[in-house]
Amino acid sequence: MMLKKHLNVPLKNDAFLIKFLRPCRYHQETAFKMMRRFYKFKAKHPKYGMNITPNAVRIVFDNDVFCFLPTRTSCGARIMIMNIGTKWNPKEVKVEEMFKAIMVAIEIAMLEPKTQLGGVHVIINVEGLSLVHICQFSPHLAKLIIDWVQDCAAVRLNGIHIINQPKIFTMLFQIFKPFLGEKLKKCIVFHGADKKSLTRRISPESLPEHFGGTADIPDYPGSLFSDMLFHYEEMFKEFGVYGYSTDKAKS
């Protein structure tokens, strides 16, 4: 007897296939490899990869730890915000829930045709970062997060922008640094408190005033953002049945 793994995906669903093909510029072999890595990660790490929906990680969005801006860059890229300092209370939002929220957010981005073409900018606001926050991250979890972002997520990552970092941020970065590939390293830009540095990379028309931009973006509560994401709940449940299944078969 031997174990055979089968990849179950809807090959006749164009929208499903395009979310892998577009970020890979329709290179079929590259897109298929990405798809396999995407589902192998989910199968290998079911704690993070299985039964994950927007509602399952709603607490992360409710607490404003993670959100999307309603605006896009001039090139059509989606802008994601992570607040892992002042707005993150590890007693209320576990670090594992944050990772699941990253996966949910990226999968939602993968579903958007504009984002498939324009890609994503991620702004990580670490204002108020403390030892309490840093101690939530183990090297193992850091590796899982980096592996997911750079090897499994079918999305064009245009930039990772670190802003408002205190000196203690160096300790956090050292946990993640050993796992960064060269391509991902080139995406990371450290801006500190220099808002002009950020707006040179992302047009000010796309950013709110507190990030140095000129966009009139209301400071809406995270719960409202969670309600918006609930629109994708059934879609996540549908896609959740896809992936690798392991069956016993005769050799």
Side-chain angles (χ1 to χ4, degrees):
M1 302 287 287
M2 65 179 292
L3 292 178
K4 290 186 177 180
K5 290 186 176 181
H6 302 278
L7 178 58
N8 171 38
V9 293
L11 295 177
K12 295 184 179 181
N13 185 325
D14 289 346
F16 176 87
L17 297 175
I18 285 174
K19 74 177 184 179
F20 290 97
L21 285 166
R22 272 187 178 146
C24 297
R25 304 185 189 280
Y26 286 91
H27 190 281
Q28 295 179 20
E29 184 177 350
T30 302
F32 182 60
K33 287 181 179 179
M34 178 71 74
M35 184 189 295
R36 290 179 62 190
R37 291 196 298 268
F38 181 88
Y39 284 109
K40 280 184 177 179
F41 185 98
K42 286 177 172 287
K44 187 176 180 180
H45 307 286
K47 176 181 178 180
Y48 300 105
M50 300 299 180
N51 302 317
I52 304 300
T53 69
N55 197 48
V57 291
R58 179 173 184 134
I59 189 171
V60 182
F61 303 113
D62 281 350
N63 281 268
D64 293 320
V65 179
F66 203 111
C67 70
F68 296 156
L69 290 184
T71 52
R72 291 178 178 270
T73 69
S74 56
C75 297
R78 173 65 77 186
I79 304 171
M80 299 181 181
I81 310 296
M82 293 183 65
N83 295 300
I84 62 171
T86 305
K87 291 190 176 184
W88 176 30
N89 182 351
K91 291 183 179 179
E92 296 182 5
V93 178
K94 304 301 182 185
V95 68
E96 291 83 6
E97 292 171 321
M98 286 182 59
F99 181 26
K100 293 175 186 177
I102 291 172
M103 298 175 76
V104 165
I106 289 179
E107 288 198 49
I108 289 175
M110 288 167 60
L111 295 170
E112 300 176 321
K114 282 187 177 181
T115 309
Q116 292 167 4
L117 293 169
V120 172
H121 281 276
V122 181
I123 298 176
I124 303 179
N125 185 5
V126 288
E127 182 179 9
L129 185 76
S130 69
L131 274 175
V132 173
H133 297 114
I134 294 173
C135 289
Q136 307 305 309
F137 294 94
S138 67
H140 174 70
L141 181 58
K143 184 179 187 305
L144 284 183
I145 294 172
I146 296 300
D147 285 350
W148 169 259
V149 171
Q150 65 186 3
D151 295 330
C152 305
V155 66
R156 295 176 187 173
L157 193 56
N158 298 327
I160 298 176
H161 308 273
I162 314 295
I163 65 171
N164 299 321
Q165 65 268 30
K167 291 182 179 180
I168 200 173
F169 172 77
T170 303
M171 296 176 62
L172 178 61
F173 188 66
Q174 290 304 315
I175 299 175
F176 285 84
K177 189 176 180 180
F179 312 115
L180 297 173
E182 289 303 315
K183 185 176 180 180
L184 193 58
K185 284 180 182 178
K186 293 177 181 178
C187 287
I188 300 175
V189 184
F190 300 97
H191 300 282
D194 188 350
K195 295 178 180 179
K196 289 185 178 180
S197 174
L198 180 62
T199 55
R200 281 195 292 268
R201 301 275 182 160
I202 302 176
S203 57
E205 295 81 8
S206 307
L207 296 172
E209 186 177 349
H210 60 272
F211 285 158
T214 58
D216 184 14
I217 301 175
D219 190 16
Y220 52 81
S223 57
L224 179 60
F225 181 68
S226 296
D227 291 341
M228 293 167 58
L229 294 187
F230 192 75
H231 167 75
Y232 294 94
E233 188 74 10
E234 291 304 316
M235 194 176 297
F236 266 78
K237 290 178 181 179
E238 177 188 344
F239 287 162
V241 303
Y242 303 135
Y244 280 99
S245 59
T246 303
D247 301 311
K248 289 184 177 181
K250 292 183 178 181
S251 58

